[in-house]
Amino acid sequence: MRFPGLYILAFVKLLLLCGCGDDNHEIASPKLVVEGWINSGGYPEVLLNMSMVPSDDEGSVAESIIRWGVVTLSDGENEVILTGGPDDSFFPPYHYYDFNMKGVPGRTYTVTARYKGLMATSTVTMPCPTPIDAVDMTPVEGVDTLRHLTLRFKAPDDCPAYYHLTARVHSNDGREYPCMLGAHEVTAPGAEVSLPVYRGHGSMLTGKYEADMPVGETVTVTLARVSREVFLFWRAYDNASLVNGSIFVGAPGSLPSNVSGGYGVWSAQGVSTRTILVE
């Protein structure tokens, strides 16, 4: 299953990072932007681009795509070179992938990207997934066409544990999108945890945005257990998006990153999924 649990919704906003700081030297020095993940039981996927400044026109978005970069992934024992290719389900529509290295909980994964003398790298250990016990549906007051979803699970013994939620409405979304307010920290081992599942703003449903899920739709919800650094990224993303709809313009340079030598986020994550019919 393709699971863009760490796919950054407004990727163009991520490209703004080096243009939003007060350091003019940083603005003049583009860096690699790495966005990638490997799921438990899944395969690595990476988006690799160059940063750009907010004043750049739309043509610069296409120009920022790196088609000839070298992206490698190591699990401490083996190393693979990812293949790059076009894919319209991503934006920008190009990504790097591999089907020779599958995600295994407990292993440590290091991604390294190189392009024109630039290098960015990140290392993350994959936590064990947390099983989903249930996804409950409740009516939305005054709206017959929507249901509120709540995901339930038992907190693992090795807390603190960090999570990120994504969801996909199958008839509209080609992939999963990060849920609004989808970053959660759990500190009590064995606790019964209930998390709201709100549709992400990147969902392609037409009409007015609604946080709850439409009746009659098939929806897949994924609970990704992530590292603390990845959790901090998504929590900051949530906070900035709620305040003013822009990750970087409203809070320049403040979004955390676990990528050295560049920007972005890399995650090795233990995932559990549940697909339901909303009724």
Side-chain angles (χ1 to χ4, degrees):
M1 180 191 69
R2 174 171 293 164
F3 170 63
L6 298 181
Y7 189 80
I8 304 172
L9 283 179
F11 189 78
V12 175
K13 293 179 182 178
L14 181 59
L15 300 179
L16 300 182
L17 177 58
C18 73
C20 293
D22 296 326
D23 186 342
N24 290 330
H25 175 72
E26 188 176 17
I27 293 176
S29 303
K31 293 185 178 182
L32 298 179
V33 180
V34 178
E35 180 187 348
W37 58 91
I38 182 170
N39 298 322
S40 54
Y43 301 100
E45 299 195 68
V46 173
L47 304 181
L48 181 62
N49 298 273
M50 294 295 296
S51 58
M52 69 181 189
V53 300
S55 59
D56 282 356
D57 57 28
E58 292 182 1
S60 295
V61 176
E63 293 171 4
S64 71
I65 301 174
I66 297 176
R67 296 177 175 84
W68 307 109
V70 177
V71 181
T72 60
L73 181 65
S74 171
D75 65 359
E77 297 180 0
N78 303 293
E79 183 175 277
V80 294
I81 299 177
L82 276 61
T83 300
D87 191 326
D88 290 337
S89 64
F90 295 101
F91 182 79
Y94 194 92
H95 86 304
Y96 294 80
Y97 58 92
D98 176 79
F99 296 115
N100 295 305
M101 184 175 288
K102 182 176 287 190
V104 178
R107 291 190 180 177
T108 298
Y109 294 90
T110 298
V111 66
T112 303
R114 295 180 175 87
Y115 180 70
K116 289 188 175 180
L118 299 175
M119 185 178 78
T121 187
S122 181
T123 299
V124 178
T125 299
M126 180 182 292
C128 291
T130 300
I132 296 172
D133 291 333
V135 178
D136 299 327
M137 288 177 282
T138 55
V140 176
E141 184 176 357
V143 184
D144 293 336
T145 58
L146 296 175
R147 296 291 183 269
H148 177 66
L149 302 188
T150 302
L151 182 149
R152 294 190 290 109
F153 65 91
K154 183 178 180 180
D157 293 334
D158 57 339
C159 282
Y162 306 96
Y163 297 94
H164 187 246
L165 296 179
T166 65
R168 176 191 173 199
V169 179
H170 284 232
S171 68
N172 291 272
D173 303 333
R175 54 180 177 79
E176 293 182 27
Y177 286 90
C179 292
M180 184 178 67
L181 298 177
H184 299 276
E185 177 182 7
V186 178
T187 59
E192 298 293 334
V193 182
S194 297
L195 302 180
V197 180
Y198 297 120
R199 203 172 77 234
H201 285 284
S203 178
M204 300 306 293
L205 282 175
T206 58
K208 184 181 72 172
Y209 169 79
E210 297 285 357
D212 293 305
M213 299 296 177
V215 172
E217 294 283 358
T218 298
V219 174
T220 294
V221 180
T222 296
L223 177 69
R225 187 175 178 186
V226 300
S227 70
R228 183 174 186 273
E229 291 75 17
V230 173
F231 161 77
L232 292 175
F233 172 91
W234 286 114
R235 185 177 66 178
Y237 174 88
D238 282 340
N239 292 340
S241 298
L242 284 175
V243 170
N244 48 28
S246 175
I247 309 174
F248 299 109
V249 174
S254 64
L255 197 70
S257 172
N258 67 344
V259 176
S260 299
Y263 304 123
V265 63
W266 161 251
S267 183
Q269 50 204 22
V271 301
S272 299
T273 63
R274 184 69 63 91
T275 298
I276 62 170
L277 175 64
V278 181
E279 54 188 7

